[in-house]
Every structure is written in C-alpha cells, then in structure tokens.
Amino acid sequence: MRTHVVDHPLVAHKLTVLRDRHTDSPTFRHLADELVTLLAYEATRDVRVQAYEIETPVARTTGTALASPKPLVVPILRAGLGMLDGMMRLLPTAEVGFVGMVRNEDTLEASTYAERLPADLSGRQCYVLDPMLATGGTLAAAIKFLTDRGADHITAICLLAAPEGCERLERELAGLDVPVTVVTAAMDERLDEKGYIVPGLGDAGDRLYGVAG
Ligand SMILES: O=P(O)(O)OC[C@H]1O[C@H](OP(=O)(O)OP(=O)(O)O)[C@H](O)[C@@H]1O
Ligand SMILES: O=c1cc[nH]c(=O)[nH]1
Ligand SMILES: [Mg+2]
C-alpha cells in the first residue's frame, strides 16, 4: 500500500480552516469540496485512458479519453458524501457506488448499514472517498467490499490520515494482489483514546452535517 501526502500551500491553508473548530458547517462543506478536487488531481494521475480520434478545425489527430469500463467512485456515507461533488467535478463520467458505514464509538468497530455497489467490479479502478483514515477499520472493510467484487486498482482519497490507520491498512491488505494507494492532505500525529485523529478536525460527519453522528 502506498500513502501519498499532497504537499501544496493551498491544500495546507484550506485544511487549516477546515480544522478550526470555529469554522461553521457551510464553510466546512465548501472547503471539503475544494480540497477533494485538489487531492483528486493527484489521485487520478494513473486513471486509465484509451486512444480517441478527433478532428480539430485544422486536422485529424489522436488524443485520449477515459478508458472503459469507467472508474467507480465510492463515497463512504455519511462523511464521504461531502467529498462526492469535489471528485465528480474531475471525473464527471465516472460511475458512483455507495457504502454506508458507521464506527461504534465504544468498540471502534465499523459496521455496514447500506451498500449499493455493482455486483461485478472486475477490471475496474475504484476511488474511495472517506475524509478520515483513523483506526483504518472503515477503509479496510470498504476496500475489501470492492476487491471481493473484482476491483483491480484502488485509490482512497482522505482529508486526514493517522499513522495507526495506515499501519492497520497495510496489515489488513498485505495479502492482496491489488494496488492500493491512499492520497491524503496530511498525515497527523496520532489517535487519542477515543480513536479520534490528533490534532484532526473532530468528527467529519458532524462537522459536515451539523448534527451528532
Ligand atoms: O478509520 P476509522 O477508525 O474507521 O474511522 C474513520 C471513520 O469514522 C468516521 O465515520 P463515522 O463512523 O463517524 O460515521 P459518519 O461518517 O457518518 O460520521 C469517518 O467518517 C470515517 O468513516
Ligand atoms: O478523528 C476522527 C476519527 C474518526 N472519525 C472522524 O470523523 N474523525
Ligand atoms: Mg462521523
């Protein structure tokens, strides 16, 4: 598994405002949307393309188009939904699948409450959207959903990651022969005793939607 921390002054600034506890939900949603588009630019460097013939006003030429089958974008509900528009801005023709997962705040175990994914994902690139990679339980389970259906290339886009989550993901995906890359705006220090990322930004779903998670 590869982890790519995007190092860009605009990413760092927007993340700073996102973290600020005084940032309200409308601003939080707007910034999360902008950040995802910046991260998606990096995360799609290896999106599959195919040759595509066109005619310019001057001459015929061969360019590229997204290869078929189109990539699948998978927001992990709730908080991943706040990243969907920012991703689709760059991949408007991608297909979207949904997985709803919630972490039990006592056991920190993730469980699935909704899932709408194509049954067969063989040969598909998948872009998983989840703002927080904390213990790694949610993302590990979501990625297994996709590889069990045949996905052969996985990129997770996160706003924040914790070292513990990356290590767990590394362990849980070790035997997998599918390349998995995590693209994140920052690698934070650690998790606290409640499994929250430090310094983090709080509970992403609550920050996005203004209600208790
Ligand atoms: O890496 P983990 O330890 O699994 O934690 C990360 C998950 O925790 C939060 O989800 P939460 O369960 O709060 O649901 P929500 O997205 O609906 O807020 C966040 O949105 C991630 O999905
Ligand atoms: O810091 C954290 C950890 C898990 N989930 C969140 O939303 N925030
Ligand atoms: Mg939450």
Side-chain angles (χ1 to χ4, degrees):
M1 185 192 94
R2 192 170 70 86
T3 303
H4 174 54
V5 180
V6 175
D7 179 13
H8 189 298
L10 293 184
V11 167
H13 167 62
K14 294 178 190 296
L15 189 55
T16 302
V17 183
L18 214 55
R19 292 178 188 275
D20 187 337
R21 63 181 309 139
H22 299 300
T23 297
D24 64 12
S25 289
T27 308
F28 191 97
R29 281 195 292 269
H30 177 72
L31 284 167
D33 182 77
E34 287 187 340
L35 261 178
V36 172
T37 299
L38 292 170
L39 297 178
Y41 176 78
E42 285 297 332
T44 52
R45 279 193 183 284
D46 50 8
V47 72
R48 290 170 187 154
V49 292
Q50 62 196 26
Y52 187 70
E53 292 273 328
I54 55 153
E55 197 160 346
T56 78
V58 177
R60 293 181 61 74
T61 184
T62 303
T64 64
L66 275 193
S68 291
K70 294 288 184 273
L72 182 76
V73 173
V74 186
I76 307 293
L77 309 180
R78 288 178 306 170
L81 199 52
M83 301 171 76
L84 184 57
D85 290 346
M87 183 72 187
M88 298 311 282
R89 190 167 293 130
L90 292 192
L91 280 180
T93 59
E95 188 178 345
V96 184
F98 294 89
V99 181
M101 302 182 77
V102 62
R103 181 178 87 159
N104 177 308
E105 290 310 324
D106 301 323
T107 65
L108 298 185
E109 289 301 311
S111 63
T112 303
Y113 59 80
E115 180 249 295
R116 290 295 299 270
L117 294 171
D120 177 10
L121 291 176
S122 10
R124 305 282 298 265
Q125 286 184 294
C126 295
Y127 293 87
V128 184
L129 308 178
D130 196 344
M132 310 300 272
L133 172 47
T135 66
T138 299
L139 215 40
I143 288 169
K144 283 176 191 158
F145 259 127
L146 302 172
T147 54
D148 286 352
R149 283 165 173 75
D152 68 354
H153 189 281
I154 308 272
T155 305
I157 299 178
C158 305
L159 299 181
L160 292 181
E164 297 90 330
C166 292
E167 283 152 25
R168 174 168 175 183
L169 220 46
E170 190 82 59
R171 281 195 311 275
E172 296 220 16
L173 305 176
L176 216 56
D177 62 357
V178 172
V180 175
T181 304
V182 172
V183 176
T184 181
M187 180 64 71
D188 271 15
E189 289 161 31
R190 60 183 171 83
L191 297 180
D192 69 10
E193 67 295 339
K194 291 188 296 180
Y196 274 74
I197 298 175
V198 177
L201 51 73
D203 184 293
D206 298 354
R207 296 293 306 271
L208 277 164
Y209 304 119
V211 293

